[in-house]
Amino acid sequence: MGDEKKFRALLVSAALLIACIFSYNIFGEYLRADIFEYIKRRAYYENVLKNKGLDLREGMHWRKKQ
Amino acid sequence: MTRDIRNIRTAILSVALSAVAVGLLFNNQTPVIDEQAILRELAPGASFTQKGGTPPHYLSEGLVAFNTHDISPSVRGYAGPIKTLVVMDRQGRITGLRIIDHRETKNYVHYMETPEYLSRFIGRSVNDPLEIGSDIDGISRATISVQALARSVRESSVKAASDLLGVRVLRAEAGRASEHAWIIYTAYFSAAFFCYFMTRHNPRFLYTRDVSLVLGLIIPGIYLSTPFSMLQLFNMVLFGPSNSYLWLALVISTAISVLLAGRFYCGWICPFGALSELLGRLPVRKWNISSGSDGDWRRLKYPALGISIAAALAGRRPESGNYETYVTLFSLSGSYLSWGLVGLTLIANVRVRRFWCRYLCPVAALTGLLSRSDNRYVSNSQCPMDNRPGPHISECIRCNRCFVRTERTGEQNG
Amino acid sequence: MGDKVRCELCPTECELDNYQIGGCRTRINKSGVLYSLVYGKPCSVAIDPIEKKPFYHFLPATAAFSIATAGCVLDCKFCQNYQISQARPEEVDHKDLPPADVVRQALYYGCRSITYTYTEPTVFYEYMFDTAKLARDFKLKNTMHTCGYINSRPLRELAPFMDAADVDLKAFTEDFYSRICGGRLRPVLDTLVELKKAGVWIEITNLVIPTLNDDIKKISEMTAWIVNNLGRDVPLHFSRFFPYYKLKNLPPTPPGTLSDARKAALDSGLRYVYIGNLAGGGQNTSCHKCGRLLVERSGFRVNQNNIINGRCGSCGTGIPGVWG
């Protein structure tokens, strides 16, 4: 790879990083709470909970009934 | 080139103005929570001023009040910040507080919100531990929440007490910015500025810039942890000037130097610039970059600055627009992304001189746009910015290595 | 990303995002439907004397088939069973024991009752509910040892199948419930009143912890509340605290404190006040009328029982409780 190409790659990645930082600054609070947490919970369910021999039994509700 | 820069200047200015307008129109509604009303309950009889200053606060006779979230926005509980209104007396003693907003699980933290629990903070001073398990009780099933509460109250109180009240705080978090910080900074800045003019006079003094770079890294960088940054300007535009002397020293000295000497700050004071330049001096071959693409990429910092300004001012939240590597590096706090950028831009200096300063830095962009032209900076092979011959003044950091002395001083100095 | 679900079982009322597990660790929202993770999966199964629960006025000297799953709605810093109550169901060994098998085994081992105990039975509500319903059909009684931290609607639905409940009234201040247990006192008091209204036999256990809830004035307030709202016949057990879990820094309760508490409770008008977790006095039942010794206990053993058809063997006064 020529210098010029490497230089361009470096700048593009820095620019991308900055773009990510902006989006994180602005939306991070929501992202972290929603998407990341969801992925974590889902992964825990799929990788850990599912394989522990626990069944899912529908829970009861009371407000609906009244 | 000059016309381009003028256009960019106009563009940035209009972005800033419209961002402020947007911010005032859409994001400046009085918050759903009427903080003044709560303050009236927390401190009956006291009448507080409007919120303002850096850090944002309310003032009254003998009392100061603030929202912890305005000062320590990064402290998070289980599900986000726990915004608390704190009233403090002039000695840094908490006289009242109330949690005004949070997103924690209601039924876990119900007790944390009661006056009964919060009363444990009252009467404590910024020099008390203010720590769960030490002088504040924990709450079962709400551990993370109460820890976040205590930490946000502690950190914001310490900052408010030291910055607003000048109370001497005997704890590490108070930062190293002591009451004499502004004197140290002003002395250093003036000395550097003096040396700058000396080197313009006589190249024999060029070594003083190296001294200044090292001191820049040490004083505003490591010791004070407050390099000049866009955050300070954003804060001023949004919340008015701070009454901290160090803040005044930073902003005023930079403003004066921009008027008199363009990007002097970048070339002599900036700790990140110093670090970049010193890394660039490592004996490693530099990449060969064509002057065309170099010139084009240098424009990248202007849209970055524009977006930064728009994000900070339109959202009325300074941190939204912050991507500055020196803020992350010297405050030692930032997201993984910010640290990634710090790492990348530092390593890049090995192959590209002053990588950050040339292509990305918002302060470089801003001070560059405001530099008065001076055609005695012609650039040469020693240029720390690798400027091509006859650069536009916005790219010059005034190292004075290429400064053409004959025009002004004649031959009398030799 | 799916709907939120609010769990209505206990007063915490967790609002769960998709795939989020509740504070009790046993209930999960999966794609907008709330599921119990512990149905038919007890982590503890044992046959205990009923006195261990403690029930002193309920089928004395009979065996109780006891089950529990992992999880709890509170997080008491003194929990004696924290290894299972504060564990996730997936962290502890569990058995496959559907309601029918619980009933079958209880009958096989000659138990008179099934007890939902050790952790907080509220967290395995559906399991308890189905088991209790089935047990009724086979003339087994149902009892639970609960902290009472349950919403009134689920409680009302469960009560018809519950014969007796031992409710931990851990203290009589909101401060204690909030700081030490992570809950509230009010719902527990509501539960006690609700159980009484539904005709469930109640006994109350109060763990006396030095410095935290051993104020005799507060204890008197509590016993006065019991007398006024639940009546004089509710047996009250003062239990001795031992340093455990997160409260290892406190000493065991001095025996003197327990007898002071017992005296205060008797002064308030309660007729049956016991001391638990302590070898020595305060374990026997005497007739409130004639004062004659009715049930003599040592440890969880019953040495003699002079209650005949629910009446004092000597004066014939009806003794409150469930005796046959």
Side-chain angles (χ1 to χ4, degrees), chain B residues 93-221:
Chain B
R93 202 166 283 283
I94 294 170
T95 63
L97 77 166
R98 169 124 14 122
I99 296 172
I100 53 176
D101 192 30
H102 69 79
R103 287 182 11 201
E104 311 293 288
T105 309
K106 200 81 187 148
N107 284 305
Y108 288 160
V109 301
H110 63 92
Y111 189 63
M112 181 176 87
E113 298 182 86
T114 59
E116 200 183 348
Y117 181 73
L118 291 175
S119 69
R120 289 156 218 246
F121 285 90
I122 291 172
R124 306 240 179 258
S125 105
V126 289
N127 282 318
D128 287 330
L130 284 169
E131 223 171 281
I132 299 297
S134 165
D135 52 347
I136 309 285
D137 289 323
I139 297 181
S140 200
R141 292 212 304 177
T143 317
I144 293 174
S145 309
V146 288
Q147 273 168 355
L149 170 73
R151 199 176 136 210
S152 68
V153 169
R154 179 172 74 231
E155 288 185 4
S156 55
S157 304
V158 163
K159 186 133 177 59
S162 57
D163 288 9
L164 300 171
L165 305 173
V167 171
R168 182 192 284 274
V169 182
L170 312 164
R171 66 161 82 220
E173 287 154 48
R176 297 172 215 92
S178 68
E179 56 210 285
H180 304 301
W182 73 276
I183 301 177
I184 296 170
Y185 184 78
T186 311
Y188 157 65
F189 195 97
S190 316
F193 211 32
F194 176 75
C195 291
Y196 163 76
F197 285 108
M198 292 288 288
T199 52
R200 268 165 73 107
H201 229 64
N202 190 332
R204 258 199 312 159
F205 298 114
L206 273 175
Y207 72 93
T208 56
R209 195 178 76 92
D210 290 348
V211 177
S212 179
L213 286 178
V214 173
L215 286 178
L217 191 54
I218 293 170
I219 296 173

Side-chain angles (χ1 to χ4, degrees), chain A residues 54-60 62, chain C residues 7-10 22-28 34-46 53 65-74 81 84-89 92 94-95 97-99 102-103 114-133 142-151 154-155 157-158 161-162 164 166:
Chain A
L54 298 167
D55 305 329
L56 293 182
R57 167 66 63 128
E58 201 164 323
M60 289 164 90
W62 289 270
Chain C
C7 176
E8 299 158 5
L9 183 52
C10 90
C24 61
R25 302 169 176 83
T26 65
R27 296 167 89 74
I28 186 170
L34 181 71
Y35 292 99
S36 165
L37 287 165
V38 291
Y39 190 94
K41 310 285 177 184
C43 64
S44 306
V45 180
K53 301 300 123 190
F65 194 83
S66 310
I67 56 172
T69 74
C72 185
V73 294
L74 299 178
N81 283 328
I84 49 175
S85 78
Q86 298 305 319
R88 296 159 174 263
V92 296
H94 56 80
K95 299 161 184 63
L97 206 65
V102 177
V103 172
I114 297 174
T115 300
Y116 313 94
T117 181
Y118 304 132
T119 59
E120 173 48 46
T122 303
V123 302
F124 55 94
Y125 184 89
E126 290 80 5
Y127 182 34
M128 167 166 62
F129 188 89
D130 289 358
T131 309
K133 226 161 141 180
N142 292 297
T143 67
M144 62 174 174
H145 183 180
T146 175
C147 63
Y149 208 60
I150 182 170
N151 274 337
L155 179 64
E157 210 156 313
L158 174 72
F161 303 102
M162 206 42 70
D166 191 299

